[in-house]
Each structure stands twice: as structure tokens, then as C-alpha cells.
Amino acid sequence: MSSIKLNIQNKKGHKLQAFLELPADQKPQYYAIFAHCFTCSSALGAVKNISRSLTSHGFGVVRFDFTGLGRSEGEFAESYFSANVDDLMAVNDYLKAHYQAPSLLVGHSLGGAAVIVAASKLENIKAVATVGAPATVSHVTHLFSHGIEEVNEKGEVEVNIGGRPFKINEEFVEDFGKIDLPEITKNLRKPLLIMHAPFDQIVGIDNAHKLYHGAHHPKSFVSLDDADHLLSNSKDSMYVGNMIGTWVQRYFEQQDNTMLETKGEQLVAHLNLVEDNFTTSIQTKKHNFIADEPASIGGDDFGPSPYDYLSAGLAACTVMTLKMYAQRKKWDLQEVYAYITYSKKHSDDLMLDVDKPTRIDHLQKRLKFVGDLDEQQKAKLKEIASKCPVHRTLISDIIIETEVID
């Protein structure tokens, strides 16, 4: 995932801190905007993980801080709900002017409510996804209810929300009661994905029930099982991002990925060394996926390792080759399994006659056939398995040319 810092100004003239996350090939098919939760910021791990997952599905994703939060300008008292929606509109306008009109809005918690309202105002938004969203905007007022009476007396007071001090005023408090979110959701008439954890202690699951039953189709619900409200477990937020990326494909026309150059590249891999350990975004012409290292060696285990992909390539090529051969021969091969194990083995253990004993890369391929086959047919299939293109590439002399491009 590659990040570009953006300079976005809202209608009050405040600069909003924002980052555009890009797919591995730097050329998104579509754009999305992510709205963070109440009193949070775009630096929250869940925000980054969901954005990263969406880039793996071909999206460019803008994650930004609402007014008065994170590193955006302004005061928190100016970050009432309508102002959040205005900030979303400002980011939307910026993308339209400098890149491409966004098609997807994603919102977490109160940000989920904000994206529903913003989507109702923006024709270019084709789909909306919410995570742990409340069914009413006023739901969050319980977080600062201890200061509401004092606000009415003094006009502005400092309250403690989640262990942090924030200043709120009358406009801030009153604005949360002005929006009829259920009615807006009912009239949205755009594809809506609602994701919620059944045991969310901050925004109860009944909120998802109200939103879902009030919305018109097409609508979808995905349970987040035992995830907490802030998706503090990275696997939960990665799951959310991947689910959204998969869900939205039903409503967006899929395009071929444009590679970095036009010189014949077939695949591109990208690793952000600043934000990621080893999690690598990979793109081919039509597909996106992730590689990673296991936690045992410092990775996050968000995807198969490079050697897993090497083994997978050999296994896939093997079974495809065997299918084509068996069909041509009209043999009763109904299913085939290829089990691949990669390891390093010493030449002595392999009983190899080499000038200098050393450790050698070793791939073990085991085959399982399902069907009415005799021993002679199985022996022939074993022979053919060693002739699949990837197998032959791996045991041949290979030349890898490396160059640095701008």
C-alpha cells in the first residue's frame, strides 16, 4: 500500500489531514472514502488495515481526520455531526477535482452514520458500507451526557470522553438531534453493507437490526462475531476490508488492472516499509492478493508467504496439467490432489554426488488420484506431473534480469 499525503480544505477553511492509499500498481479502478469513529482519527490501526485491504481490491482509499481530531485543523466543538458530513463532502469534491469521483463510502461507528447521510447527497456514490454504526445520530450523546446540563448553563465546557478532554458547546450538542438517520437510510436506495459485532459493548447489535430492516434492497449484513467495537484485533479489521472489497464487486464493473508500465509486466508487488512489516500487495492483470510472513519471524500472517506462493504455483500447474492429460486420454480421473512441501535439505541426506556438500532447496510433491485408474495409469500420471510447465521451469536453468526503474 502506497500513501500520498493530501491537502484538503473544508468549507470553513480548515485543513484536513488526509492520505490517499493506492493499490500496488498505483492506478486505482475506483476511489473510496473512509470515515473514522467518534473522537478517533485516521491513524487508528483498524482504519489503516481496512484501507489496505480495499487497495488490494483495486481501490484508491482516502482516510482523513475530521475537523478538530487527529492532525486536522479546527476545534473538537466544531466536529459535530453535520460538520462531519460537510468534511466528507469536501473530501469527495477534492477527489472529483484532482483524481476521480469516489464511488464507495465506508464508515466506522458514527462515521458509518455520516457516510449514509453523505451518500444520500452525492450522486457519484454507488455503494455504502458501515461498521458498528449507530441507528440514530443521537446515540453518541451518552458519551458526554454528564456535561450537557453544564453546557446549557455555561455555553461551553470541557468533558471527558474515553479518557481524553474535549471542549463542547451548545451547537455541538444540539446538532446530534437534528438528523433523522432511519428515514435517510430508508430513502437511500443504494447498495448498503452493514457489518456489526453481536457483542459490541459500545454500539449494540440492535442498531444494526434497525438500520438493516429500515433500508431497502440491495442490502447485506455481515456478523463480526467476537470483534470489539474498535476492531482492535488486526485480523478483524483485515476481514472487514476484504469483505467490503468482495461485496462491492457485485455492484461495480470490474476492469483490468493497469500495470506500472507498458513494457510487458505480468505482476507487480508493493511493500510500504514505513507502515507495514512484511505485508505485500500483489496485482496481476485481473487479480489482487496479499503475501506476508508468519508471526514467528516478525510478519503479521495476513497472507501466504513467498514460498507458499511458489509451492502453490507448482501445485496448481500440476493438477491442471494432469486434468488436461487425463481428459485427452479419456481416463476416469475424477479428482487430483497435489501436496507440496518446501524445505532445505543437505545434499548428503538426498544422497547426491556433488563436488561440495551443501544445503539444497527441496520441493516434495505427493499426488493423490480419485477415480477408476489402474497402476499403469497412475504411473503415467506421475510421469506427466513432472512435465507441467512450472515444474520444468523450476528445474531448468533460469535467468532473472533485474533493473531499477523510475
Side-chain angles (χ1 to χ4, degrees):
M1 184 175 66
S2 176
S3 299
I4 297 175
K5 191 172 183 178
L6 305 179
N7 183 16
I8 301 177
Q9 201 170 68
N10 68 10
K11 72 176 188 179
K12 289 189 175 181
H14 297 315
K15 290 182 181 178
L16 305 177
Q17 172 162 276
F19 294 92
L20 172 59
E21 312 293 0
L22 294 170
D25 66 357
Q26 312 288 294
K27 298 177 181 180
Q29 296 181 35
Y30 300 99
Y31 286 82
I33 302 174
F34 191 103
H36 62 71
C37 59
F38 185 61
T39 74
C40 299
S41 77
S42 62
L44 187 72
V47 179
K48 292 182 178 180
N49 288 338
I50 294 172
S51 298
R52 175 168 57 194
S53 298
L54 285 171
T55 65
S56 296
H57 290 271
F59 278 90
V61 184
V62 173
R63 55 180 176 90
F64 73 100
D65 296 337
F66 283 122
T67 298
L69 290 167
R71 295 188 177 181
S72 285
E73 294 180 347
E75 298 298 327
F76 178 72
E78 299 176 89
S79 191
Y80 44 84
F81 185 77
S82 295
N84 289 171
V85 175
D86 288 342
D87 285 349
L88 275 165
M89 305 285 278
V91 175
N92 178 82
D93 292 345
Y94 181 92
L95 277 175
K96 286 177 65 176
H98 296 86
Y99 293 91
Q100 175 183 314
S103 304
L104 172 67
L105 294 183
V106 180
H108 180 200
S109 193
L110 189 64
V115 297
I116 290 175
V117 176
S120 71
K121 301 173 182 287
L122 297 170
E123 290 187 7
N124 54 279
I125 297 302
K126 306 303 181 186
V128 181
T130 67
V131 184
T136 60
V137 173
S138 59
H139 180 277
V140 301
T141 57
H142 75 279
L143 296 173
F144 50 85
S145 58
H146 55 289
I148 292 178
E149 185 176 337
E150 193 174 359
V151 165
N152 294 332
E153 296 174 358
K154 299 181 180 179
E156 180 180 280
V157 298
E158 184 176 283
V159 296
N160 184 290
I161 305 175
R164 291 182 294 164
F166 293 99
K167 286 186 178 181
I168 62 174
N169 55 30
E170 287 183 278
E171 184 180 19
F172 179 88
V173 174
E174 291 173 358
D175 187 78
F176 285 98
K178 294 179 178 179
I179 304 297
D180 188 347
L181 187 62
E183 185 66 18
I184 293 173
T185 305
K186 178 182 177 181
N187 295 322
L188 184 61
R189 304 302 175 102
K190 294 180 180 182
L192 174 64
L193 172 63
I194 297 170
M195 308 185 77
H196 214 111
F199 304 106
D200 190 324
Q201 298 297 310
I202 306 299
V203 180
I205 188 63
D206 58 306
N207 287 270
H209 179 271
K210 292 176 183 177
L211 285 176
Y212 183 84
H213 284 278
H216 286 274
H217 285 289
K219 58 184 178 180
S220 304
F221 172 76
V222 173
S223 172
L224 299 181
D225 299 328
D226 58 354
D228 60 31
H229 183 69
L230 292 179
L231 305 177
S232 54
N233 187 322
S234 59
K235 289 187 177 181
D236 291 328
S237 52
M238 292 295 290
Y239 172 76
V240 166
N242 284 323
M243 285 300 299
I244 296 172
T246 300
W247 166 81
V248 82
Q249 291 177 21
R250 188 170 186 86
Y251 308 104
F252 289 6
E253 181 181 353
Q254 294 302 294
Q255 305 168 0
D256 289 351
N257 292 326
T258 303
M259 306 313 286
L260 282 168
E261 300 289 342
T262 56
K263 299 177 182 178
E265 290 95 337
Q266 296 174 315
L267 181 147
V268 58
H270 176 260
L271 172 61
N272 186 322
L273 278 69
V274 177
E275 295 194 356
D276 301 324
N277 290 329
F278 294 102
T279 307
T280 301
S281 300
I282 302 172
Q283 282 189 245
T284 64
K285 187 176 181 180
K286 292 181 179 290
H287 302 285
N288 306 273
F289 41 102
I290 289 176
D292 208 334
E293 293 288 5
S296 59
I297 61 171
D300 293 310
D301 203 18
F302 288 144
S305 73
Y307 275 106
D308 286 337
Y309 278 117
L310 177 71
S311 299
L314 176 60
C317 186
T318 297
V319 297
M320 291 176 186
T321 300
L322 291 174
K323 170 189 168 68
M324 289 187 288
Y325 184 83
Q327 285 187 335
R328 189 165 61 248
K329 290 290 188 178
K330 297 184 179 179
W331 290 356
D332 184 38
L333 178 61
Q334 299 170 16
E335 296 179 63
V336 58
Y337 296 84
Y339 298 90
I340 307 296
T341 303
Y342 169 81
S343 63
K344 289 273 192 180
K345 291 194 174 183
H346 199 277
S347 55
D348 290 346
D349 296 329
L350 296 171
M351 295 182 288
L352 297 177
D353 185 14
V354 294
D355 294 333
K356 183 179 180 181
T358 186
R359 292 175 64 81
I360 296 175
D361 291 296
H362 181 265
L363 283 163
Q364 181 185 50
K365 181 192 293 186
R366 294 186 297 162
L367 304 172
K368 178 180 178 181
F369 304 127
V370 177
D372 186 13
L373 302 168
D374 59 33
E375 293 304 314
Q376 187 175 0
Q377 288 173 317
K378 291 180 181 179
K380 186 62 178 179
L381 288 172
K382 177 184 176 183
E383 177 187 336
I384 296 300
S386 299
K387 295 181 179 180
C388 84
V390 172
H391 187 123
R392 293 170 66 181
T393 297
L394 288 171
I395 63 174
S396 66
D397 293 330
I398 301 175
I399 296 175
I400 300 176
E401 295 183 355
T402 304
E403 64 175 309
V404 177
I405 60 176
D406 295 327

